[in-house]
Each structure stands twice: as structure tokens, then as C-alpha cells.
Amino acid sequence: MAMQKGTDIKPAQGKLGMLLPGLGAVATTVVAGVESVRRGLAEPIGSLTQLGTIRLGKRTENRAPRIKEFVPLADLNDVVFGGWDIFPDDAYEAATHAGVLSKDDIEKVKPFLQTIKPMPGVFEPQWVKKLHGTHVKQGTSKMDLAQQLIADIEKFKKDNGLQRCVAVWCGSTEVYQKPTVVHSSLAEFEQGLARSDENIAPSAIYAYACLKSGVPYANGAPNLSVDFPAMHELAKTMALPIAGKDFKTGQTLMKTVLAPMLKARMLGLTGWYSTNILGNRDGEVLDDPDSFKTKEVSKLGALEYILQPHLYPQLYKDFCHVVRINYYPPRGDNKEGWDNIDIFGWMNYPMQVKIDFLCRDSILAAPIVLDLALFLDLAHRAGMHGVQEWLSFYFKTPMTAPSLYPEHDLFIQLMKLKNTLRHLRGEELVTHLGAESYD
């Protein structure tokens, strides 16, 4: 990631294409929400790029501009949406089927949503066993499918007069996989595409096509899509920023808030039991054990990294961590995350924390998609490329350089994000030392 202090950032001229692989609940909530904001029908609640401020200098200076005024982000009025899906429904039909937004909110932007029609998706049923796509590409090889996606991107840019695009994966969780030889280098990966290697998932084909087209890419699912050497090599070759993976929305968001508190106060943990019920397409997909494994690995990692049992064995060694996800259709997109946390304090006396987070999955994910798109576009115009660790704030399993462990603490992640923006604009980093005020 090339990042110079006070770097010259190219202006956000013209329109920005936002490509969304997977035009389902999350993507249509993003599209409907942005259009509602543009029309003055809603506020962009949950979006750091739109509502967040950033402190500059010392506290006594009282400088705290909006982030979107401090760095040259693309304007929402300049965003053009496109995407792919394995079902032919336009964004209006898909949003209605998803059931995230009220009928009234959808109807207000119906004409606009009806203009967003998905391009046929790349799909292999062995990767998402619970879905049966009807709007899918056919090709002679996986390389042929990648070339079709590249042609889609070129046509989308030409039809809309676009010079810049970003892509954010909003599709389903694929079955669990570990990197193989085909993921080890760009040459191996391209050879694998040509011979339709069984270890290359559809999501990785999208990532490849986007990067080959000069489009920065963020992975919103726990899939093995852009977090392996071949994609790192391609991102470097194309000088493109990449980020991932797995949007941090409900239960894991709470864990990355509470676990730092336990560690900060040196409170011990004996067990953390987490269960979820949800009834949307994501819940249906995760009802398959192989797809659940992918999500489970993503959700289990945060506590280990935050609590660091190897440094605090008397507090966190061998704590029990259980994660369950249950598909319950009546709940729809309104996910419920329930946590039972067994902790202990002074003289080993036990205590408990219980959380019942009745959240709305896509409502929490939508502003993440928007922020990632705008920040990736900013990074690209600033000449930054490769893994954008400063965007870890948005992910369950943050991508990092191979030699680094991921930082999961939400507040450290936010500090890193804002300090990156300060650095880009030539401002001093905020360390919160403040010693000069007491000299």
C-alpha cells in the first residue's frame, strides 16, 4: 500500500460506477438507500463517509470537519449502480422479495430501482448448494466466464460514460476452502482459469475480472476471493486497492466492542456462546454445513486476536467459544444474535454478560458497502494499492500483509482509519497523548 503523507489526490471528477456482484438483500438496500438520500427522503445513518467527523490537531483547536469535506470523496449524486445476480429480478423486484425495506420505502424509489437490472451471474451450484440460479452465464471455461465479466464491465462503463468504477461483493457465502497451488501465483491462477480448475470459486472469478478491468475490489463475504497471493500479485500489477473480508455487522461487531473492554480491565473469560437466527437468503445458504464452516471460521477469529491468550494465559487460556447459526424463515432479514458471556474478576469470582441483539442484517451492511466503495475510490485516486488494512474497521476477518496479525479491536481500527485520512491530507496523527496540556 503506497501512501505518502500529504499526497496529491486526484479529484473525483465525473461519475463513479458501483458494481455489486449479488443484487440481493444487501445490494438492493444500498441502492434504495442511496437513492432515498439523494432525493431527500432519508438520512445516511450508519455511514461514516456521510455523517462522520474527524478531529484535526489538538483538542483546543476545535477542528472537526465532516470526513466527506476533509477528503475528496465521490458525491452520492455521481454514483451509478450496476451488478450481477443469478436471478433475473430487477432491483425493485429483488428488494420486494428480500423484505428488508417497507413497501412504502420501496415504492418511493420504484422507478429508479426498476432501471437496475442484473447482468447474468457466474454460478456453480457446488459452491452455494442451497441456491439454484436461473440467470447464469455459460462458458467454455472459467477463463471464458472471466472474459464475459470483463466485457460486462467495459459495456457498463461505456453505456454510463464512466472513467472510474469500484466493486463490492454482496453475494452469498460459498463453501469453505483453503488456498491451493492454483491460488499461489497469478500465472497459476490464470492457468487454472483456462483449465476450469475446481478450486477456483465463482467469487474469485469476479475478483479477477474486476481487477483485470482496473476496478478496485472489496470482498464482503468470508469467501476465498481476493485474499491469496495470486490476487495480491494482480492488485500490485494493476496498482489497485483491495480490501476484505466479510462485513462486520451484528454479533461480531458487538464482540469487537466488548472483548476490548474485558481485556482493557483485565477481566477473565471462561466462555462465550453465540447463537444467531435469521431467515433471509443468507440464512438459507448458511443452513448448508459447508457454507456455515466458511462463516464459522470468520466469526471465531476475532476473540483470539483481541484477547491474546498467549500473553494473558491466566485470563484467557482455553476459553470456550461456540458459534451457531440457525435458519429460521419467519425472522426474515431481522437477525437475532444472542450471546452468553461467562467472565470472572477479582479473586476469580464469576460474572455473566448477556446480549440479545435484535438487528437488521442488511440495514447494518448497507452503509458499509457505501463507505467501502467511496474509500476504495479515494485510495485508488491517491495512488494506494494492494491490501488496504486501514479499512479493517468494516470486516470480520481483516486482510493484512502476510507478516501481520489482523487488528480486530473496533476502536483501534477506527483510529487507524482516521489516522490514514489525516496522513493522506498532511495533518498530524492523533495519538491522544495530550501531555502538552499539563506542562
Side-chain angles (χ1 to χ4, degrees):
M1 178 178 67
M3 182 171 59
Q4 300 297 320
K5 183 175 182 179
T7 190
D8 183 27
I9 304 174
K10 296 178 181 177
Q13 293 180 338
K15 294 189 177 297
L16 172 67
M18 189 185 301
L19 288 163
L20 305 172
L23 199 65
V26 172
T28 56
T29 304
V30 176
V31 175
V34 169
E35 182 63 9
S36 296
V37 171
R38 292 194 289 211
R39 295 187 183 193
L41 301 173
E43 292 290 333
I45 296 172
S47 170
L48 188 66
T49 61
Q50 302 305 300
L51 297 181
T53 62
I54 182 166
R55 173 187 143 191
L56 304 177
K58 300 175 183 179
R59 281 177 282 173
T60 53
E61 296 178 32
N62 294 317
R63 291 193 295 150
R66 287 280 179 94
I67 287 174
K68 66 179 182 179
E69 297 164 356
F70 177 61
V71 291
L73 298 176
D75 189 272
L76 293 191
N77 291 311
D78 291 330
V79 173
V80 179
F81 293 102
W84 298 266
D85 203 84
I86 63 172
F87 300 104
D89 299 350
D90 63 36
Y92 170 75
E93 296 166 328
T96 300
H97 177 74
V100 176
L101 303 174
S102 70
K103 180 177 177 60
D104 182 56
D105 283 334
I106 295 173
E107 290 298 321
K108 290 175 183 176
V109 291
K110 177 179 177 178
F112 176 75
L113 293 177
Q114 289 178 318
T115 68
I116 312 298
K117 303 179 187 298
M119 296 171 278
V122 174
F123 181 68
E124 291 182 73
Q126 64 267 34
W127 289 99
V128 184
K129 298 175 184 177
K130 291 288 185 175
L131 300 183
H132 306 283
T134 59
H135 187 59
V136 300
K137 296 186 184 300
Q138 303 297 324
T140 57
S141 68
K142 292 185 177 182
M143 179 61 85
D144 181 30
L145 294 172
Q147 293 298 331
Q148 291 182 46
L149 291 174
I150 290 171
D152 288 344
I153 295 169
E154 183 61 32
K155 185 176 186 302
F156 174 71
K157 291 171 70 175
K158 183 178 179 180
D159 289 349
N160 293 283
L162 304 173
Q163 297 298 317
R164 304 173 358 259
C165 283
V166 291
V168 183
W169 174 270
C170 296
S172 296
T173 299
E174 295 167 335
V175 302
Y176 181 70
Q177 68 171 153
K178 294 181 178 180
T180 64
V181 173
V182 78
H183 301 100
S184 63
S185 72
L186 183 56
E188 287 282 359
F189 189 80
E190 291 183 330
Q191 291 170 19
L193 287 173
R195 66 173 184 270
S196 295
D197 191 291
E198 64 179 4
N199 294 299
I200 296 178
S203 64
I205 301 175
Y206 279 101
Y208 173 83
C210 288
L211 294 178
K212 287 291 283 188
S213 300
V215 176
Y217 192 90
N219 177 19
N223 307 332
L224 186 69
S225 301
V226 73
D227 52 326
F228 52 86
M231 290 302 173
H232 292 182
E233 183 181 344
L234 181 56
K236 182 178 181 180
T237 300
M238 301 296 295
L240 292 169
I242 54 176
K245 62 183 183 176
D246 202 4
F247 300 139
K248 181 158 66 174
T249 51
Q251 197 166 60
T252 305
L253 176 64
M254 300 301 292
K255 286 181 179 178
T256 60
V257 171
L258 286 172
M261 178 273 291
L262 296 177
K263 183 180 173 185
R265 296 296 296 267
M266 290 289 106
L267 296 172
L269 177 71
T270 55
W272 196 312
Y273 179 86
S274 301
T275 189
N276 300 260
I277 55 173
L278 69 164
N280 57 12
R281 186 184 294 176
D282 193 32
E284 182 180 6
V285 168
L286 294 174
D287 204 35
D288 170 60
D290 291 329
S291 288
F292 170 70
K293 174 68 174 176
T294 309
K295 180 67 75 171
E296 181 185 35
V297 170
S298 179
K299 289 172 77 72
L300 283 172
L303 291 184
E304 289 280 346
Y305 284 112
I306 291 173
L307 298 176
Q308 298 176 299
H310 63 290
L311 296 180
Y312 307 97
Q314 67 273 49
L315 298 177
Y316 308 120
K317 183 181 179 182
D318 299 326
F319 69 85
C320 179
H321 189 193
V322 178
V323 174
R324 296 285 183 266
I325 299 177
N326 297 287
Y327 178 49
Y328 182 58
R331 190 54 62 94
D333 197 70
N334 297 338
K335 180 171 70 174
E336 182 169 358
W338 185 82
D339 291 85
N340 176 80
I341 310 163
D342 289 291
I343 65 175
F344 59 92
W346 190 251
M347 296 176 66
N348 287 322
Y349 276 82
M351 296 174 278
Q352 287 189 337
V353 180
K354 296 186 187 294
I355 305 169
D356 191 10
F357 190 14
L358 286 81
C359 61
R360 297 174 183 263
D361 213 32
S362 298
I363 294 297
L364 291 169
I368 292 178
V369 175
L370 174 62
D371 284 0
L372 285 170
L374 298 184
F375 278 142
L376 278 178
D377 176 57
L378 173 73
H380 191 204
R381 287 184 284 111
M384 302 163 72
H385 57 81
V387 175
Q388 304 298 298
E389 191 190 348
W390 63 285
L391 297 177
S392 295
F393 178 72
Y394 296 105
F395 296 109
K396 287 187 185 75
T397 307
M399 291 168 55
T400 66
S403 60
L404 299 177
Y405 64 82
E407 182 56 71
H408 285 271
D409 183 321
L410 185 75
F411 304 104
I412 295 176
Q413 291 174 333
L414 181 60
M415 184 184 296
K416 186 178 185 69
L417 187 156
K418 289 189 174 183
N419 270 338
T420 299
L421 299 179
R422 294 181 183 107
H423 185 77
L424 284 175
R425 299 305 272 168
E427 291 279 346
E428 292 302 312
L429 306 187
V430 171
T431 65
H432 300 287
L433 180 61
E436 69 281 355
S437 297
Y438 299 94
D439 289 341

